[in-house]
Amino acid sequence: MPLLLTLVTAVLLTACAGAASGPASGGAKPPARPTPTAPSSPTPSSTGPSSPTTSATASPTPSTAAEITEAVTQWYEYGGGTAMVSLIEEAEKAQSGRPDEEEEFALVILDFSGLDEALSTARLFGSIPDPKTQKTWSAAIERLDEGAREVLASVPQGRTFQSPTEAGQAFRGWKTFDEGLKNLKKTVARLDRTFGLKPPSDPWEKG
């Protein structure tokens, strides 16, 4: 999976902002998006009427503030928090290959392999059982994924230097990536402010 790539990118912000909106035809093919495996639903063993206790086994959707807090806490403590920290750390690492905007040309090494795995793990933990927190969490996952794929697609094939069109695509990809980071920070802030849930140390400082 070609997730570790080296190229020289032209960092021309004015040209990037006005680059063609279509994707570069020679871009590297991004990796296929991992599809989380959903647990299969149990198949009834009888064709007769459902037992009165059948529906009682389903977990009710939390509705009160106390129920939502308990459900979010369980999501966080049983792996969701770890997945979130991992996503933060890998997103920060991926940014280490970002070109310096003050340089006209920069040698860039793109490595999204750890981010790809962290995104897959984040999806496997499902939705956060709080609509407002889930909104920013979902946006963070999708924007980080979308941005990384667009940056990878801007990598030229058989050449070292990007064309202006490819440089513009990379610029747009990093802007989308930034949107993902912003939503990730909003998710972390809401979990702390509303539910008192936060990692033992600041994962943003490790990136």
Side-chain angles (χ1 to χ4, degrees), residues 69 72 76 84 130 132-133 136 183-199:
T69 298
V72 172
Y76 189 91
M84 183 185 69
D130 171 61
K132 290 184 178 179
T133 313
T136 57
N183 278 284
L184 192 52
K185 289 179 179 180
K186 288 179 181 179
T187 302
V188 174
R190 178 168 172 80
L191 285 170
D192 182 9
R193 182 179 63 253
T194 306
F195 304 102
L197 300 170
K198 62 181 179 180

mmCIF file of all heavy atoms in Angstrom, residues 69 72 76 84 130 132-133 136 183-199:
data_model
loop_
_atom_site.group_PDB
_atom_site.id
_atom_site.type_symbol
_atom_site.label_atom_id
_atom_site.label_comp_id
_atom_site.label_asym_id
_atom_site.label_seq_id
_atom_site.Cartn_x
_atom_site.Cartn_y
_atom_site.Cartn_z
ATOM 1 N N THR A 69 -24.834 10.649 29.787
ATOM 2 C CA THR A 69 -23.533 10.740 30.436
ATOM 3 C C THR A 69 -22.957 9.357 30.703
ATOM 4 O O THR A 69 -21.767 9.100 30.453
ATOM 5 C CB THR A 69 -23.638 11.515 31.763
ATOM 6 O OG1 THR A 69 -24.064 12.858 31.491
ATOM 7 C CG2 THR A 69 -22.301 11.545 32.489
ATOM 8 N N VAL A 72 -21.936 7.748 27.267
ATOM 9 C CA VAL A 72 -20.723 8.356 26.726
ATOM 10 C C VAL A 72 -19.497 7.922 27.530
ATOM 11 O O VAL A 72 -18.436 7.631 26.962
ATOM 12 C CB VAL A 72 -20.837 9.894 26.710
ATOM 13 C CG1 VAL A 72 -19.501 10.529 26.329
ATOM 14 C CG2 VAL A 72 -21.914 10.337 25.731
ATOM 15 N N TYR A 76 -16.251 5.941 26.103
ATOM 16 C CA TYR A 76 -14.906 6.492 26.262
ATOM 17 C C TYR A 76 -13.983 5.524 26.998
ATOM 18 O O TYR A 76 -12.850 5.288 26.569
ATOM 19 C CB TYR A 76 -14.999 7.809 27.028
ATOM 20 C CG TYR A 76 -13.709 8.593 27.079
ATOM 21 C CD1 TYR A 76 -13.415 9.532 26.105
ATOM 22 C CD2 TYR A 76 -12.789 8.401 28.111
ATOM 23 C CE1 TYR A 76 -12.227 10.269 26.139
ATOM 24 C CE2 TYR A 76 -11.604 9.118 28.160
ATOM 25 C CZ TYR A 76 -11.329 10.050 27.171
ATOM 26 O OH TYR A 76 -10.155 10.759 27.217
ATOM 27 N N MET A 84 -9.553 7.696 20.169
ATOM 28 C CA MET A 84 -9.500 9.132 19.913
ATOM 29 C C MET A 84 -8.078 9.664 20.083
ATOM 30 O O MET A 84 -7.586 10.433 19.241
ATOM 31 C CB MET A 84 -10.447 9.872 20.864
ATOM 32 C CG MET A 84 -10.524 11.376 20.618
ATOM 33 S SD MET A 84 -11.543 12.210 21.865
ATOM 34 C CE MET A 84 -10.482 12.017 23.311
ATOM 35 N N ASP A 130 -24.010 10.636 22.019
ATOM 36 C CA ASP A 130 -24.428 12.005 22.305
ATOM 37 C C ASP A 130 -24.404 12.743 20.977
ATOM 38 O O ASP A 130 -23.334 12.866 20.356
ATOM 39 C CB ASP A 130 -23.476 12.677 23.307
ATOM 40 C CG ASP A 130 -23.773 14.168 23.443
ATOM 41 O OD1 ASP A 130 -24.896 14.517 23.847
ATOM 42 O OD2 ASP A 130 -22.869 14.984 23.123
ATOM 43 N N LYS A 132 -24.450 15.856 19.799
ATOM 44 C CA LYS A 132 -23.552 16.982 19.559
ATOM 45 C C LYS A 132 -22.094 16.533 19.474
ATOM 46 O O LYS A 132 -21.329 17.007 18.624
ATOM 47 C CB LYS A 132 -23.716 18.028 20.664
ATOM 48 C CG LYS A 132 -25.053 18.763 20.616
ATOM 49 C CD LYS A 132 -25.119 19.838 21.675
ATOM 50 C CE LYS A 132 -26.441 20.603 21.603
ATOM 51 N NZ LYS A 132 -26.525 21.655 22.655
ATOM 52 N N THR A 133 -21.701 15.625 20.357
ATOM 53 C CA THR A 133 -20.324 15.126 20.327
ATOM 54 C C THR A 133 -20.092 14.271 19.090
ATOM 55 O O THR A 133 -19.039 14.356 18.451
ATOM 56 C CB THR A 133 -20.019 14.301 21.586
ATOM 57 O OG1 THR A 133 -20.474 14.999 22.748
ATOM 58 C CG2 THR A 133 -18.527 14.046 21.727
ATOM 59 N N THR A 136 -19.287 16.324 15.720
ATOM 60 C CA THR A 136 -17.918 16.771 15.483
ATOM 61 C C THR A 136 -16.968 15.584 15.317
ATOM 62 O O THR A 136 -16.016 15.650 14.544
ATOM 63 C CB THR A 136 -17.433 17.663 16.629
ATOM 64 O OG1 THR A 136 -17.544 16.966 17.884
ATOM 65 C CG2 THR A 136 -18.261 18.942 16.702
ATOM 66 N N ASN A 183 -12.383 19.823 14.041
ATOM 67 C CA ASN A 183 -13.498 19.054 14.595
ATOM 68 C C ASN A 183 -13.032 18.064 15.651
ATOM 69 O O ASN A 183 -13.752 17.794 16.624
ATOM 70 C CB ASN A 183 -14.222 18.311 13.471
ATOM 71 C CG ASN A 183 -15.210 19.188 12.731
ATOM 72 O OD1 ASN A 183 -16.295 19.485 13.210
ATOM 73 N ND2 ASN A 183 -14.823 19.640 11.541
ATOM 74 N N LEU A 184 -11.830 17.552 15.484
ATOM 75 C CA LEU A 184 -11.279 16.649 16.489
ATOM 76 C C LEU A 184 -11.042 17.400 17.798
ATOM 77 O O LEU A 184 -11.330 16.893 18.891
ATOM 78 C CB LEU A 184 -9.977 16.047 15.959
ATOM 79 C CG LEU A 184 -9.380 14.853 16.722
ATOM 80 C CD1 LEU A 184 -10.411 13.759 16.930
ATOM 81 C CD2 LEU A 184 -8.175 14.314 15.975
ATOM 82 N N LYS A 185 -10.550 18.628 17.694
ATOM 83 C CA LYS A 185 -10.331 19.440 18.898
ATOM 84 C C LYS A 185 -11.659 19.805 19.570
ATOM 85 O O LYS A 185 -11.750 19.838 20.799
ATOM 86 C CB LYS A 185 -9.553 20.700 18.541
ATOM 87 C CG LYS A 185 -8.097 20.421 18.176
ATOM 88 C CD LYS A 185 -7.352 21.691 17.789
ATOM 89 C CE LYS A 185 -5.894 21.378 17.458
ATOM 90 N NZ LYS A 185 -5.128 22.574 17.074
ATOM 91 N N LYS A 186 -12.692 20.047 18.764
ATOM 92 C CA LYS A 186 -14.012 20.332 19.325
ATOM 93 C C LYS A 186 -14.554 19.123 20.080
ATOM 94 O O LYS A 186 -15.201 19.258 21.125
ATOM 95 C CB LYS A 186 -14.982 20.726 18.213
ATOM 96 C CG LYS A 186 -14.726 22.101 17.612
ATOM 97 C CD LYS A 186 -15.724 22.399 16.496
ATOM 98 C CE LYS A 186 -15.467 23.758 15.865
ATOM 99 N NZ LYS A 186 -16.424 24.036 14.753
ATOM 100 N N THR A 187 -14.306 17.933 19.539
ATOM 101 C CA THR A 187 -14.764 16.709 20.192
ATOM 102 C C THR A 187 -14.086 16.533 21.540
ATOM 103 O O THR A 187 -14.741 16.235 22.550
ATOM 104 C CB THR A 187 -14.462 15.487 19.306
ATOM 105 O OG1 THR A 187 -15.089 15.656 18.035
ATOM 106 C CG2 THR A 187 -14.981 14.207 19.946
ATOM 107 N N VAL A 188 -12.775 16.722 21.565
ATOM 108 C CA VAL A 188 -12.019 16.588 22.809
ATOM 109 C C VAL A 188 -12.504 17.608 23.838
ATOM 110 O O VAL A 188 -12.694 17.284 25.022
ATOM 111 C CB VAL A 188 -10.511 16.784 22.543
ATOM 112 C CG1 VAL A 188 -9.735 16.789 23.854
ATOM 113 C CG2 VAL A 188 -9.987 15.681 21.630
ATOM 114 N N ALA A 189 -12.733 18.837 23.405
ATOM 115 C CA ALA A 189 -13.171 19.894 24.313
ATOM 116 C C ALA A 189 -14.547 19.598 24.899
ATOM 117 O O ALA A 189 -14.788 19.807 26.094
ATOM 118 C CB ALA A 189 -13.189 21.236 23.583
ATOM 119 N N ARG A 190 -15.470 19.101 24.072
ATOM 120 C CA ARG A 190 -16.823 18.817 24.569
ATOM 121 C C ARG A 190 -16.822 17.635 25.537
ATOM 122 O O ARG A 190 -17.524 17.659 26.556
ATOM 123 C CB ARG A 190 -17.777 18.546 23.415
ATOM 124 C CG ARG A 190 -19.183 18.199 23.902
ATOM 125 C CD ARG A 190 -20.226 18.192 22.803
ATOM 126 N NE ARG A 190 -21.490 17.676 23.292
ATOM 127 C CZ ARG A 190 -22.361 18.380 23.997
ATOM 128 N NH1 ARG A 190 -22.102 19.637 24.297
ATOM 129 N NH2 ARG A 190 -23.501 17.842 24.417
ATOM 130 N N LEU A 191 -16.037 16.613 25.232
ATOM 131 C CA LEU A 191 -15.954 15.467 26.146
ATOM 132 C C LEU A 191 -15.437 15.904 27.516
ATOM 133 O O LEU A 191 -15.907 15.418 28.553
ATOM 134 C CB LEU A 191 -15.041 14.393 25.559
ATOM 135 C CG LEU A 191 -15.629 13.573 24.409
ATOM 136 C CD1 LEU A 191 -14.549 12.706 23.762
ATOM 137 C CD2 LEU A 191 -16.783 12.695 24.894
ATOM 138 N N ASP A 192 -14.505 16.821 27.522
ATOM 139 C CA ASP A 192 -13.953 17.324 28.784
ATOM 140 C C ASP A 192 -14.950 18.239 29.488
ATOM 141 O O ASP A 192 -15.270 18.052 30.670
ATOM 142 C CB ASP A 192 -12.652 18.071 28.492
ATOM 143 C CG ASP A 192 -11.973 18.587 29.758
ATOM 144 O OD1 ASP A 192 -12.412 18.236 30.872
ATOM 145 O OD2 ASP A 192 -10.995 19.354 29.628
ATOM 146 N N ARG A 193 -15.485 19.222 28.743
ATOM 147 C CA ARG A 193 -16.352 20.234 29.341
ATOM 148 C C ARG A 193 -17.696 19.666 29.798
ATOM 149 O O ARG A 193 -18.195 20.013 30.875
ATOM 150 C CB ARG A 193 -16.584 21.347 28.320
ATOM 151 C CG ARG A 193 -17.442 22.495 28.828
ATOM 152 C CD ARG A 193 -17.600 23.565 27.779
ATOM 153 N NE ARG A 193 -18.298 23.071 26.582
ATOM 154 C CZ ARG A 193 -17.719 22.824 25.421
ATOM 155 N NH1 ARG A 193 -16.411 23.005 25.277
ATOM 156 N NH2 ARG A 193 -18.417 22.391 24.387
ATOM 157 N N THR A 194 -18.298 18.798 28.998
ATOM 158 C CA THR A 194 -19.651 18.311 29.283
ATOM 159 C C THR A 194 -19.673 17.044 30.115
ATOM 160 O O THR A 194 -20.559 16.865 30.960
ATOM 161 C CB THR A 194 -20.401 18.064 27.955
ATOM 162 O OG1 THR A 194 -20.353 19.255 27.163
ATOM 163 C CG2 THR A 194 -21.851 17.683 28.208
ATOM 164 N N PHE A 195 -18.691 16.166 29.892
ATOM 165 C CA PHE A 195 -18.732 14.854 30.554
ATOM 166 C C PHE A 195 -17.545 14.603 31.482
ATOM 167 O O PHE A 195 -17.477 13.566 32.132
ATOM 168 C CB PHE A 195 -18.796 13.748 29.499
ATOM 169 C CG PHE A 195 -19.955 13.881 28.554
ATOM 170 C CD1 PHE A 195 -19.773 14.387 27.274
ATOM 171 C CD2 PHE A 195 -21.243 13.531 28.946
ATOM 172 C CE1 PHE A 195 -20.841 14.530 26.400
ATOM 173 C CE2 PHE A 195 -22.317 13.664 28.079
ATOM 174 C CZ PHE A 195 -22.119 14.172 26.800
ATOM 175 N N GLY A 196 -16.614 15.551 31.551
ATOM 176 C CA GLY A 196 -15.463 15.383 32.439
ATOM 177 C C GLY A 196 -14.535 14.273 31.994
ATOM 178 O O GLY A 196 -13.845 13.669 32.824
ATOM 179 N N LEU A 197 -14.489 13.998 30.698
ATOM 180 C CA LEU A 197 -13.654 12.921 30.166
ATOM 181 C C LEU A 197 -12.493 13.513 29.386
ATOM 182 O O LEU A 197 -12.691 14.242 28.429
ATOM 183 C CB LEU A 197 -14.488 12.010 29.253
ATOM 184 C CG LEU A 197 -15.691 11.322 29.899
ATOM 185 C CD1 LEU A 197 -16.559 10.660 28.834
ATOM 186 C CD2 LEU A 197 -15.227 10.303 30.931
ATOM 187 N N LYS A 198 -11.282 13.194 29.806
ATOM 188 C CA LYS A 198 -10.110 13.667 29.089
ATOM 189 C C LYS A 198 -8.943 12.716 29.338
ATOM 190 O O LYS A 198 -8.884 12.045 30.369
ATOM 191 C CB LYS A 198 -9.735 15.084 29.520
ATOM 192 C CG LYS A 198 -9.366 15.230 30.984
ATOM 193 C CD LYS A 198 -9.026 16.685 31.291
ATOM 194 C CE LYS A 198 -8.673 16.874 32.762
ATOM 195 N NZ LYS A 198 -8.340 18.289 33.055
ATOM 196 N N PRO A 199 -8.021 12.626 28.385
ATOM 197 C CA PRO A 199 -6.864 11.736 28.550
ATOM 198 C C PRO A 199 -5.966 12.215 29.676
ATOM 199 O O PRO A 199 -5.989 13.394 30.034
ATOM 200 C CB PRO A 199 -6.161 11.804 27.187
ATOM 201 C CG PRO A 199 -6.665 13.045 26.543
ATOM 202 C CD PRO A 199 -8.033 13.303 27.082
#
